[in-house]
């Protein structure tokens, strides 16, 4: 499979409104309870994502009728507790909410069912739930490894009046699944929790949904839960799903990092009375100093006011296990360390999230301390700044969404961004609508058109960074030559391009620790650069290296494909050119100033040959893009060209 990626430039600010997708946790519980209830239920604002698709497919395979309503809802015809299909094999992907709750419910549903998932699902423990279900008389077999999916369920021989014990410190989904299933057993049952119950708000959400569907559970502290005999799910008629509070965390974090109090980031669909525990994430942001406001079904976040900055926190994250991941990224923009404690459950999620978070933060040059159940993050500082990095996402939607926030500190490449489809398929569209990138000016044109000088001066005038992309191709040509790699050897040259050890500094450029500012300007290297630049693998190897220059407060990039390929979103694109005669004259003048031999005719011929090669190549050819403004310097000097470019930028042309 070809790895897809998304490159994010450094972001400067955030503001705006986001309508949240429905809560995954509520959607999957509501789907299940509606399918078990007596009567029809209309579910509104359900999440449409991978995890809910797995649940809907499973319910459809169990014979549950579901149909879209005119108003965009889903009408579920309840089965009254017994699914029409008495046998089924269900594939549940990596959807933990679906797998745990269906295991529990189907254990008492009287049929024969096989439950499977992706390989990672088969590594996520479920033994504690299976043991508890068996204590109630369930008949469950692990098909591969004891205590792990896949599972085979056969009809249970229910034991009345039992007290069931279940561990509460691995996954609260075990308790939630058990509670949702027990009304099907038809007998009075008490569940006792062993060990500390983690993620209590998720259990609270389960109880809340069960109550809406007609089953009141008696709760004794967080230790014991009793389900009365004869409990039975009944449709509430219409059920409105809240916006996803975990998904909200990314946008509230964006606000806390990059929005002003006058122009905050506001999420709609979840508010102060939400039944999802992850709304408490907003309290954690407030504790870090962020400006938070909330209404019935909205929350807004912005940076601290009065010139203050965010402060690191030490937080027991037991109550917000998912949203706590987002805090690890907010910590990068706070003063002082942040410690996220009591997060052992991260290790058995979509991936080992403690290990994954630590590994990827380290790529950004962040100091991280990782423990069995905690993570400590030291924010970057001038001596140890954030650095651009390629971030892996481990098929974990939350890794992808969390790391998008790091783009406020440095440009990033996020691998496999599509994994967000698990809970938030449009995440990066919403992110793009809220986060504002540093501006970029793309200046393309043929060789010796003066674009290098103009670009460097425009960058200096604006205080922006400057990318001389041609220098990178020249450096690759030089490095290949020095390594004895032929310029025609695409794979060999691309490997050199990928490993290129270069430092651009105020007075020049270093390759492998050596000053090469002059060496890369020789005619022979110019010709080599033009050859290696025609190779797709070389261009691909240099793509993120170029985008990594796109930093705050802005960038001017010069080359051939700045506006077309590298920075297609550039605010201003300029095609800077001059006739071959004028360019050849300029080049001759340059050479004579350096006391180098210069023959006008051969220089012009050489320059036209290079232009022709740059124009004719298949990949990223030299051409004026439709949205690029033409700046012809035949009859104007450098000063006027710089002034024109600045005027276009300032007036938003
Ligand atoms: O701009 P320059 O002359 O330093 O560029 C050197 C070579 O690299 C030139 O032959 C074109 C190529 N190049 C490119 O293909 N794409 C860029 N963005 C910049 C330069």
């Amino acid at each position: 499979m070809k790895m897809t990626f998304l490159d994010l430039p450094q972001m400067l600010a955030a503001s705006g409104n986001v309508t949240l997708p429905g809560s995954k946790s509520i959607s999957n519980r509501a789907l299940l309870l509606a399918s078990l209830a007596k009567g029809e239920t209309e579910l509104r604002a359900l999440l449409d994502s991978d995890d809910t698709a797995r649940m809907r497919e499973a319910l459809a395979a169990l014979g549950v009728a579901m149909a879209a309503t005119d108003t965009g809802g889903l009408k579920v015809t309840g089965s009254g507790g017994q699914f029409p299909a008495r046998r089924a094999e269900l594939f549940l992907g990596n959807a933990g909410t679906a797998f745990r709750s269906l295991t529990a419910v189907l254990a008492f549903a009287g049929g024969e069912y096989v439950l499977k998932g992706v390989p990672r699902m088969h590594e996520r423990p479920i033994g504690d739930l299976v043991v508890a279900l068996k204590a109630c008389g369930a008949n469950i077999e692990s098909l591969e490894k004891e205590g792990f999916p896949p599972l085979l369920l056969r009809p249970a021989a229910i034991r009345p009046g039992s007290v069931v014990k279940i561990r509460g410190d691995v996954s609260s989904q075990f308790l939630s699944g058990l509670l949702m299933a027990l009304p099907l057993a038809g007998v009075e049952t008490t569940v006792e929790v062993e060990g500390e119950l983690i993620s209590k708000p998720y259990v609270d959400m389960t109880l809340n949904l069960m109550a809406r569907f007609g089953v009141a559970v008696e709760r004794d502290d967080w230790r014991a839960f009793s389900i009365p005999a004869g409990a039975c799910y009944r449709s509430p008629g219409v059920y409105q799903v809240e916006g996803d509070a975990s998904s909200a965390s990314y946008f509230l974090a964006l606000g806390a990092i990059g929005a002003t109090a006058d122009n905050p980031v506001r999420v709609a669909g979840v508010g102060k009375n939400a039944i999802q525990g992850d709304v408490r994430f907003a309290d954690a942001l407030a504790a870090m100093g962020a400006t938070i406001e909330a209404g019935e079904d909205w929350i807004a976040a912005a940076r601290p006011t009065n010139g203050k900055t965010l402060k690191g926190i030490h937080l027991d994250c037991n109550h917000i296990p998912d949203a706590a991941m987002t805090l690890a990224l907010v910590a990068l923009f706070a003063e002082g360390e942040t410690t996220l404690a009591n997060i052992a459950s991260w290790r058995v999620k979509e991936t080992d999230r403690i290990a994954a978070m630590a590994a990827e933060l380290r790529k950004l040059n962040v100091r991280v301390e990782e423990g069995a159940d905690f993570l400590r993050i030291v924010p970057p500082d001038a001596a140890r700044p954030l650095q651009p990095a390629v971030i892996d996402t481990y098929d974990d939607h939350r890794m992808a969404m969390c790391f998008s926030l790091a783009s406020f500190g440095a440009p990033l490449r996020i691998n496999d961004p599509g994994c967000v489809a698990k809970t938030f398929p449009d995440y990066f569209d919403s992110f793009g609508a809220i986060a504002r990138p540093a501006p970029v000016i793309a200046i393309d044109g043929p060789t010796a058109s003066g674009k290098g000088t103009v670009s460097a001066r425009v960058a200096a005038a604006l205080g922006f960074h400057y990318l001389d992309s041609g220098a990178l191709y020249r450096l690759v040509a030089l490095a290949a030559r020095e390594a004895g790699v032929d310029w025609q050897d695409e794979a060999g040259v691309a490997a050199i391009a990928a490993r290129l050890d270069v430092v651009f500094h105020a007075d020049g450029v270093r390759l492998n620790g050596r000053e090469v500012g002059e060496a890369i300007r020789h005619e022979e290297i110019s010709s080599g650069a033009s050859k290696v630049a025609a190779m797709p693998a070389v261009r691909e190897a240099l793509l993120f290296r170029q985008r990594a220059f796109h930093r705050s407060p802005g960038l001017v990039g010069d080359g051939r494909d700045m506006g077309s390929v590298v920075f297609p979103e550039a605010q201003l694109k300029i095609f800077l050119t001059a006739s071959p005669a004028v360019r050849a004259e300029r080049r001759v003048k340059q050479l004579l100033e350096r006391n180098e031999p210069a023959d006008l005719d051969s220089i012009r011929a050489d320059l036209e040959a290079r232009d022709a090669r740059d124009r004719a190549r298949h990949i990223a050819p030299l051409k004026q893009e439709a949205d690029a403004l033409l700046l012809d310097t035949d009859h104007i000097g450098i000063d006027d060209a710089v002034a024109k470019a600045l005027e276009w930028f300032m007036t938003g042309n």
Side-chain angles (χ1 to χ4, degrees):
M1 189 181 74
K2 187 169 160 56
M3 177 64 88
T4 58
F5 58 80
L6 176 71
D7 290 338
L8 295 176
Q10 185 167 1
M11 300 295 165
L12 290 185
S15 66
N17 299 324
V18 186
T19 301
L20 294 167
S23 155
K24 173 191 74 161
S25 304
I26 296 178
S27 293
N28 269 355
R29 282 169 175 77
L31 278 163
L32 185 60
L33 296 185
S35 75
L36 292 172
K38 290 202 173 93
E40 276 182 355
T41 309
E42 183 182 337
L43 299 175
R44 293 196 181 147
L46 262 187
L47 171 65
D48 184 4
S49 75
D50 286 356
D51 274 16
T52 55
R54 295 297 86 73
M55 179 62 111
R56 285 172 66 166
E57 287 156 16
L59 294 176
L62 291 166
V64 176
M66 289 168 281
T69 65
D70 297 343
T71 50
L74 185 77
K75 195 173 70 188
V76 181
T77 306
S79 63
Q82 295 252 312
F83 292 110
R86 313 304 296 154
R87 275 170 171 273
E89 183 171 314
L90 308 177
F91 174 75
L92 298 164
N94 201 7
T97 46
F99 205 104
R100 280 70 180 266
S101 59
L102 278 167
T103 297
V105 161
L106 292 175
F108 299 136
E112 194 170 307
Y113 304 105
V114 172
L115 279 73
K116 297 181 163 174
V118 295
R120 171 65 188 165
M121 196 67 195
H122 296 178
E123 293 171 357
R124 298 172 69 181
I126 196 163
D128 293 308
L129 175 60
V130 169
V131 167
L133 291 166
K134 281 182 169 170
C136 303
N139 182 341
I140 304 176
E141 201 183 310
S142 287
L143 292 174
E144 285 171 14
K145 187 168 152 206
E146 197 55 40
F148 292 84
L151 302 175
L152 167 63
L153 317 183
R154 296 202 185 83
I158 289 163
R159 295 186 195 131
S162 36
V163 174
V164 196
K165 295 189 191 303
I166 187 151
R167 267 181 72 177
D169 55 359
V170 177
S171 166
S172 69
Q173 287 177 10
F174 297 165
L175 176 58
S176 282
L178 189 60
L179 290 171
M180 285 193 281
L182 284 172
L184 306 187
V187 294
E188 185 182 345
T189 321
T190 299
V191 181
E192 287 182 4
V193 178
E194 293 185 309
E196 191 204 348
L197 177 60
I198 59 169
S199 321
K200 292 186 186 80
Y202 283 99
V203 177
D204 212 17
M205 177 198 296
T206 303
L207 299 181
N208 189 304
L209 266 115
M210 288 173 71
R212 286 294 301 279
F213 282 84
V215 173
V217 176
E218 211 177 291
R219 174 169 78 76
D220 178 4
D221 196 12
W222 292 99
R223 299 253 130 240
F225 300 82
S226 299
I227 285 102
C232 161
Y233 290 120
R234 279 188 195 83
S235 165
V238 173
Y239 185 86
Q240 175 83 26
V241 175
E242 289 177 359
D244 195 297
S246 314
S247 299
S249 73
Y250 311 108
F251 295 99
L252 297 177
L254 276 177
I257 297 165
T260 60
D262 298 343
N263 248 329
V265 175
R266 192 177 148 125
V267 297
V270 66
K272 54 186 168 194
N273 300 322
I275 65 168
Q276 298 164 78
D278 270 357
V279 287
R280 297 276 80 83
F281 173 81
D283 299 343
L285 282 184
M288 294 179 85
T291 311
I292 303 288
E293 272 192 79
E296 281 308 307
D297 76 337
W298 60 270
I299 309 176
R303 288 200 299 255
T305 49
N306 302 327
K308 296 208 179 89
T309 51
L310 293 170
K311 298 264 181 292
I313 45 167
H314 185 303
L315 188 70
D316 180 327
C317 300
N318 192 343
H319 62 305
I320 49 169
D322 285 346
M325 289 178 76
T326 314
L327 292 175
L329 276 297
V330 179
L332 305 183
F333 305 95
E335 226 169 62
E337 294 180 5
T338 287
T339 305
L340 306 176
N342 207 356
I343 54 170
S345 68
W346 283 22
R347 297 223 180 254
V348 293
K349 300 283 181 157
E350 279 80 345
T351 183
D352 177 341
R353 286 177 167 169
I354 295 183
M357 186 60 84
E360 301 311 306
L361 285 173
R362 286 185 185 122
K363 287 184 185 169
L364 293 165
N365 197 28
V366 177
R367 259 171 47 212
V368 187
E369 193 187 331
E370 173 192 346
D373 66 347
F374 76 90
L375 203 59
R376 183 166 301 127
I377 295 134
V378 184
D381 56 26
R384 195 181 165 117
L386 277 194
Q387 69 189 19
V390 178
I391 300 298
D392 287 310
T393 48
Y394 306 75
D395 201 15
D396 183 351
H397 54 139
R398 299 209 186 284
M399 284 293 290
M401 296 191 278
C402 279
F403 274 86
S404 65
L405 303 175
S407 61
F408 273 80
L412 300 172
R413 168 165 291 185
I414 296 186
N415 279 333
D416 188 22
C419 68
V420 298
K422 189 169 203 285
T423 51
F424 200 158
D426 302 331
Y427 175 74
F428 284 106
D429 292 338
S430 297
F431 178 87
I434 294 296
R436 181 160 56 80
V440 50
I441 301 176
I443 303 186
D444 290 305
T447 191
S449 57
K451 65 185 178 348
T453 315
V454 171
S455 300
R457 284 189 43 185
V458 170
L462 294 168
F464 283 8
H465 301 274
Y466 167 53
L467 165 63
D468 172 3
S469 63
L472 283 174
Y473 292 96
R474 292 170 179 273
L475 285 159
V476 169
L478 178 64
R481 162 74 25 117
E482 290 182 348
V485 173
D486 194 285
W487 284 335
Q488 308 297 342
D489 172 3
E490 180 164 356
V493 178
I496 294 222
R499 290 194 312 263
L500 207 59
D501 173 15
V502 295
V503 179
F504 287 92
H505 57 91
D507 306 315
V509 53
R510 276 193 292 274
L511 175 66
N512 299 324
R514 199 163 47 83
E515 295 297 336
V516 293
E518 301 246 318
I520 59 169
R521 299 290 153 195
H522 289 155
E523 288 305 306
E524 198 209 355
I525 295 300
S526 299
S527 162
S530 163
K531 288 185 183 122
V532 301
M535 299 168 167
V538 174
R539 302 197 75 85
E540 193 168 319
L542 291 179
L543 187 57
F544 182 61
R545 194 183 281 272
Q546 296 173 80
R547 288 179 174 164
F549 280 79
H550 192 169
R551 302 196 72 153
S552 160
L555 172 70
V556 180
D558 104 53
R560 306 294 186 280
D561 62 345
M562 296 292 99
S564 58
V565 177
V566 185
F567 305 112
E569 311 297 334
Q571 277 70 14
L572 172 62
K573 298 181 186 178
I574 295 176
F575 191 74
L576 198 136
T577 190
S579 62
V582 170
R583 289 189 282 131
E585 273 165 30
R586 284 183 189 156
R587 186 84 185 120
V588 165
K589 201 164 145 236
Q590 246 176 21
L591 289 170
L592 292 177
E593 278 167 7
R594 296 210 307 243
N595 288 326
E596 288 181 33
D599 171 61
L600 184 63
D601 288 339
S602 72
I603 281 178
R604 179 168 171 173
D606 190 50
L607 183 144
E608 289 189 284
R610 213 156 4 123
D611 277 3
R613 188 155 47 211
D614 290 348
R615 278 181 207 282
R617 70 182 180 216
H618 292 299
I619 179 155
L622 169 67
K623 68 172 189 337
Q624 183 184 352
E625 288 292 296
D627 55 353
L629 302 176
L630 181 67
L631 190 51
D632 186 329
T633 61
D634 261 10
H635 305 294
I636 61 170
I638 295 288
D639 287 348
D640 289 341
V642 171
K644 193 77 208 164
L646 287 172
E647 182 198 319
W648 279 337
F649 181 67
M650 296 304 185
T651 56
N653 238 307

